[in-house]
Amino acid sequence: MKKTDWIFIFIFLLIISIFIIPYTRTGFENLTDNYPYIMGFIKTSILASYGELLASRILTGNYFSRKGIIPRFIVWGILGMGFVLMFKIFSSGVIGAMSDSILPNVANQNFLGDLYRAFMTSLIMNLIFAPTFMILHRITDTYIDLKNEGKKQVKTNDIIERIDWNSFFGFVVFKTIPLFWVPAHTITFMLPENYRVLMAGFLSIALGLILTFTKMKHRSVHNNEELS
């Protein structure tokens, strides 16, 4: 292991310790309650960027092989602010729809009732919001890549032509949403409200690792096919 690996492990443990130590956990909850958008920016930008750097380390052996860390950090933060609003809208909206019998309602306040409400919230949010968010993030990510390649004026056509839309919809949208994000966000919506955006940040790390190992597997299969 490299020295930077130990630094990244220490940073991760430091983040986890915030939620283990009662004093810092209470401070985190108060800040999230009082400044939801600022905390949404901070939580998502840090955790999502951490996940991208970790994925880069696994894929290339270098945490900083991909340029544009700062603009990606800012984009993640802005998206995190959006998560704060969207999580509230869909959570409150689904509960309201159930109360008005627009959606099937379960009156039970036990675990199964909470699980059902969380699942319905996750399902509806991921069907409506997730594809839009994913497209927006892919566009901003591609824009940053093109700028870092030295392209002075990046046009909309440049971005659209660069993105592999078949892979994007075939895997990212049609596979990760039903197989990962819907069940993962079901857990998210069972958590207290001020921990949901935080959970989304940790889930982005998990998904980044899954996608990275998938890329490595495809690369290995491709190399084996060329050798044979």
Side-chain angles (χ1 to χ4, degrees):
M1 292 180 66
K2 299 180 180 179
K3 182 179 179 180
T4 49
D5 294 328
W6 291 110
I7 294 174
F8 268 70
I9 291 172
F10 174 77
I11 292 172
F12 185 77
L13 293 176
L14 187 64
I15 293 172
I16 295 298
S17 68
I18 294 174
F19 311 106
I20 295 176
I21 302 171
Y23 178 79
T24 53
R25 182 173 67 245
T26 301
F28 166 81
E29 293 172 352
N30 290 335
L31 287 171
T32 300
D33 288 337
N34 295 324
Y35 309 100
Y37 286 114
I38 294 175
M39 289 300 290
F41 184 102
I42 293 172
K43 288 180 287 189
T44 307
S45 58
I46 291 175
L47 291 175
S49 297
Y50 184 95
E52 288 190 344
L53 294 174
L54 186 60
S56 177
R57 170 67 175 89
I58 295 171
L59 197 60
T60 67
N62 183 357
Y63 286 102
F64 306 102
S65 61
R66 196 180 185 193
K67 297 180 180 179
I69 296 173
I70 294 176
R72 293 183 211 280
F73 180 92
I74 295 171
V75 168
W76 273 120
I78 295 171
L79 292 174
M81 295 170 72
F83 294 161
V84 173
L85 179 61
M86 290 299 106
F87 280 19
K88 185 66 175 180
I89 287 174
F90 282 98
S91 178
S92 300
V94 167
I95 292 174
M98 288 180 177
S99 299
D100 294 339
S101 300
I102 297 174
L103 286 173
N105 193 9
V106 176
N108 294 338
Q109 297 297 321
N110 56 19
F111 173 78
L112 291 179
D114 292 340
L115 180 63
Y116 168 72
R117 284 183 285 273
F119 170 74
M120 289 300 294
T121 305
S122 175
L123 178 64
I124 293 172
M125 185 188 75
N126 278 291
L127 289 176
I128 296 173
F129 170 66
T132 304
F133 150 69
M134 290 174 173
I135 290 172
L136 176 61
H137 180 249
R138 182 58 62 92
I139 288 172
T140 57
D141 221 33
T142 304
Y143 176 85
I144 293 170
D145 284 337
L146 290 171
K147 292 297 287 186
N148 285 321
E149 291 172 7
K151 198 172 185 64
K152 293 182 179 180
Q153 291 186 339
V154 179
K155 299 179 180 180
T156 304
N157 286 341
D158 297 327
I159 298 173
I160 293 174
E161 291 173 0
R162 169 64 70 89
I163 298 173
D164 183 352
W165 292 107
N166 287 328
S167 174
F168 176 78
F169 281 101
F171 182 76
V172 177
V173 174
F174 294 140
K175 289 186 179 179
T176 66
I177 287 179
L179 299 178
F180 180 82
W181 286 117
V182 171
H185 276 147
T186 298
I187 299 173
T188 299
F189 283 108
M190 293 190 72
L191 295 174
E193 189 172 336
N194 53 10
Y195 281 91
R196 290 173 183 174
V197 174
L198 176 72
M199 181 65 172
F202 280 112
L203 289 174
S204 69
I205 296 178
L207 181 63
L209 294 177
I210 293 171
L211 295 177
T212 299
F213 286 121
T214 301
K215 288 181 181 178
M216 293 176 66
K217 182 179 179 181
H218 288 169
R219 180 186 295 177
S220 177
V221 171
H222 180 71
N223 290 338
N224 290 335
E225 289 177 350
E226 288 184 345
L227 291 174
S228 60

